[in-house]
Amino acid sequence: FAHQVAATIVRLTESMPFELASAFNNQAQKAIHVETVLGTAGLSVFGHALCEIVGAQLSAKANHCEDEVARQATNEALQALPQAKRALDVEDGAPSVYGAPSAKAKVLLDLMAGRKGTTLVFVEQVCCVLPVAAMLAKHLQEPVLHVSGTFTMIKATRDAHVRAFRDGHCSVLVATSALEEGLDVPDCDCVIRFDAFSNVKSHVQGSGRARKAGSEVFYFDNSPDEEDKRTATMYN
C-alpha cells in the first residue's frame, strides 16, 4: 500500500512548481519505511509529515540561498505549498490517525498506556517523528509533541514544542536522534529508543536525557547491557 501512496503523492504534485515537485518526489518513497516500521496507522499521517518536512526544507533553502533566481524559484514553491496540501488532503491542525499499528508500534503504545511522568521517545528517521507522535496522542488521548532538526522543521515550531515539553505543558515528546544532545529536560524520567542505534555516543546521550531519580530507559532494538559494555570499553 505504501508504494501506491508514494506514487499518488508524486502524481498529485508533479505539475506544481519544479522545486516543490522535486522535494515531494525526493521524500515520497519514505512512505515505505513508515508503513514498515509503524503500520498503516503511521502511513495515514505520512502526508502531514511530508508537508511539514518539505515546507521546512524549502524555507531553509530560501533563507540560505545566495542566488536570486534560485531564491525566487524556492519562494514560488513555498507559495504553492498550500495547493499541495489541498491535493494531498492535508488540513491544518492535528492529523487524524486510522489503520492498524505495526507489531513494534503496538508495543510502544502498550508501553506508554497508563505511564505517568515525562517521556522522551527517540526515533531514527524524520519521516516517523510526526506519525509516532500522532499515534501516541490518539492512544493516550493527550497532546504529544514532536521535534526534528534544522532543515526538517521550522525553528519557531521546534522551539515552541521543546519549551512546552520542558515547562510541563506536554508530558511526551518524540524527537529524532539528531537532537539527543540538545534536549535538556531535568524532569524527564523515561527515555525510549524506538529504533536501533550504532554508536556509543547515542547510548550515553540518550540515556543521559533521563536525569530524574528513578528514571527508566527502554531500548527496542539494542541491548542495554551490551551498550554499557561498549561504553565501558571506550572510556576505560
Side-chain angles (χ1 to χ4, degrees):
F1 185 54
H3 289 85
Q4 297 177 13
V5 170
T8 299
I9 290 171
V10 172
R11 177 175 56 81
L12 292 175
T13 58
E14 63 184 358
S15 62
M16 297 180 185
F18 175 78
E19 290 284 346
L20 184 62
S22 178
F24 276 107
N25 184 65
N26 290 338
Q27 295 289 333
Q29 293 303 315
K30 296 289 181 64
I32 299 169
H33 176 78
V34 171
E35 184 181 43
T36 300
V37 176
L38 302 176
T40 54
L43 189 62
S44 70
V45 190
F46 180 65
H48 287 76
L50 191 57
C51 287
E52 180 178 88
I53 294 168
V54 167
Q57 289 178 336
L58 292 173
S59 294
K61 185 175 181 180
N63 290 334
H64 293 87
C65 188
E66 296 182 358
D67 182 79
E68 182 60 33
V69 175
R71 186 187 302 110
Q72 182 176 350
T74 304
N75 284 328
E76 289 176 356
L78 280 169
Q79 292 172 5
L81 185 58
Q83 177 187 351
K85 288 183 176 180
R86 289 192 295 272
L88 299 176
D89 290 327
V90 172
E91 299 179 355
D92 293 334
S96 298
V97 179
Y98 54 88
S102 67
K104 182 180 181 181
K106 189 175 186 307
V107 173
L108 174 65
L109 298 177
D110 291 343
L111 175 64
M112 290 296 298
R115 278 197 63 85
K116 304 298 182 181
T118 304
T119 302
L120 184 56
V121 181
F122 283 115
V123 300
E124 185 62 30
Q125 295 205 24
V126 175
C127 59
C128 290
V129 176
L130 176 54
V132 168
M135 292 168 68
L136 284 170
K138 178 183 179 182
H139 189 70
L140 301 175
Q141 291 296 295
E142 66 177 74
V144 176
L145 299 178
H146 65 286
V147 291
S148 60
T150 305
F151 296 103
T152 56
M153 190 175 196
I154 300 297
K155 183 179 184 302
T157 302
R158 181 174 61 254
D159 290 348
H161 285 191
V162 171
R163 185 166 55 251
F165 181 62
R166 185 177 290 131
D167 293 345
H169 301 305
C170 166
S171 63
V172 183
L173 183 71
V174 182
T176 53
S177 300
L179 292 178
E180 57 196 11
E181 289 187 57
L183 290 172
D184 185 15
V185 183
D187 289 334
C188 182
D189 58 11
C190 179
V191 169
I192 299 174
R193 302 300 302 247
F194 185 68
D195 294 312
F197 57 89
S198 58
N199 57 74
V200 170
K201 182 179 179 182
S202 290
H203 171 61
V204 174
Q205 292 290 347
S207 300
R209 297 311 98 196
R211 297 169 53 186
K212 195 172 182 179
S215 295
E216 296 179 293
V217 179
F218 297 93
Y219 288 174
F220 272 60
D221 294 325
N222 295 70
S223 165
D225 290 340
E226 288 300 318
E227 295 307 323
D228 284 341
K229 291 178 183 177
R230 291 174 61 196
T231 302
T233 300
M234 173 170 284
Y235 289 101
N236 289 340

